[in-house]
Amino acid sequence: MTNLILFGPPGSGKGTQAAKLVAKYGLLHISTGDLFRYNLKNNTPLGQEAKKYIDKGDLVPDSVTIKMLKEKVDENKNVNGYIFDGFPRTIPQAEALNILLGEENTSIAALIALDVDDEEIVKRLLERGKTSGRADDTDEKIIRNRINVYKNETTPVYDYYDETGHSMKVKGVGSIDDIFARLCSEMDKLV
Ligand code: ADP
């Protein structure tokens, strides 16, 4: 199994690149953001709980997020590997993921971070907000909160995997295909 964490700030292109990686490497894409949006759309109890946080650009509590992620992994065991997108976003989430994968005798092959600067992110998210229907993409204050949450709560996850030599950065600016080529050159070393 090859398990990848696709990492990076909001709007860094994780969803776009994950779809291309799935097509090329046959991995299963698990996006906690997509799972939450599915629950919001269907107004499930999980969606109602998550909405309070998502609307402000804050993180949903670990207990809720980890349980949702674990269920998704448990439902999809016979795969070549996973691409985790938007997870883990905190150290407790990373620890939970390690335990979960350890139970399956597997682990994270690499964390690849898409490197994009703040002003480019704000620009991209406001642009995405015009068509995405995502409330969290339309208000610059909420966008800037998400960037701060990323810096304060999520970047420690990069360092956590870096300690064991599993973290790397890829330039996330340029054409979609150029960024994909950079990701593939890292992926090809792993698979
Ligand atoms: P972004 O476009 O900001 O990367 P996502 O689509 O991944 O955002 O997630 C949207 C929102 O869902 C986040 O702002 C957060 O509130 C919530 N969320 C997603 N993944 C997680 C997670 N791993 N832990 C806590 N909250 C999460």
Side-chain angles (χ1 to χ4, degrees):
M1 271 181 113
T2 305
N3 304 305
L4 179 74
I5 297 171
L6 198 54
F7 201 74
S12 55
K14 299 185 293 287
T16 304
Q17 296 296 335
K20 293 175 76 71
L21 290 168
V22 164
K24 180 160 179 185
Y25 297 97
L27 305 172
L28 181 80
H29 178 209
I30 300 184
S31 157
T32 44
D34 288 350
L35 292 173
F36 282 130
R37 279 186 288 280
Y38 175 84
N39 281 281
L40 289 177
K41 205 173 109 211
N42 291 287
N43 203 22
T44 65
L46 176 79
Q48 288 167 10
E49 173 65 14
K51 188 175 180 350
K52 297 184 246 171
Y53 303 91
I54 293 174
D55 282 352
K56 288 189 267 177
D58 291 334
L59 294 183
V60 178
D62 284 337
S63 56
V64 177
T65 307
I66 290 168
K67 184 165 173 280
M68 179 180 76
L69 186 281
K70 192 170 157 24
E71 279 172 14
K72 188 74 186 173
V73 169
D74 286 343
E75 283 165 14
N76 293 280
K77 283 208 166 146
N78 295 314
V79 295
N80 294 331
Y82 304 99
I83 299 180
F84 297 101
D85 161 1
F87 186 96
R89 261 172 153 100
T90 63
I91 297 290
Q93 290 182 16
E95 287 168 343
L97 182 61
N98 281 354
I99 292 170
L100 187 60
L101 294 178
E103 285 166 359
E104 302 304 316
N105 297 313
T106 186
S107 61
I108 291 297
L111 175 154
I112 308 183
L114 291 169
D115 208 7
V116 181
D117 70 74
D118 291 2
E119 293 319 304
E120 171 73 15
I121 285 166
V122 174
K123 208 174 78 192
R124 285 187 191 179
L125 290 179
L126 285 172
E127 194 56 39
R128 184 169 82 181
K130 290 180 191 166
T131 53
S132 69
R134 284 182 55 172
D136 59 346
D137 283 346
T138 48
D139 182 335
E140 186 165 338
K141 273 211 309 279
I142 292 170
I143 290 174
R144 293 210 182 263
N145 184 43
R146 283 156 64 201
I147 295 173
N148 284 335
V149 168
Y150 176 76
K151 286 187 180 154
N152 297 331
E153 298 180 52
T154 302
T155 51
V157 173
Y158 182 93
D159 302 331
Y160 176 85
Y161 288 97
D162 200 33
E163 277 169 23
T164 50
H166 288 91
S167 289
M168 60 190 83
K169 283 192 181 134
V170 155
K171 192 174 141 209
V173 191
S175 76
I176 289 173
D177 287 340
D178 286 348
I179 298 164
F180 183 58
R182 288 177 208 132
L183 284 172
C184 290
S185 78
E186 297 301 336
M187 277 300 284
D188 291 337
K189 296 178 204 160
L190 304 172
V191 292

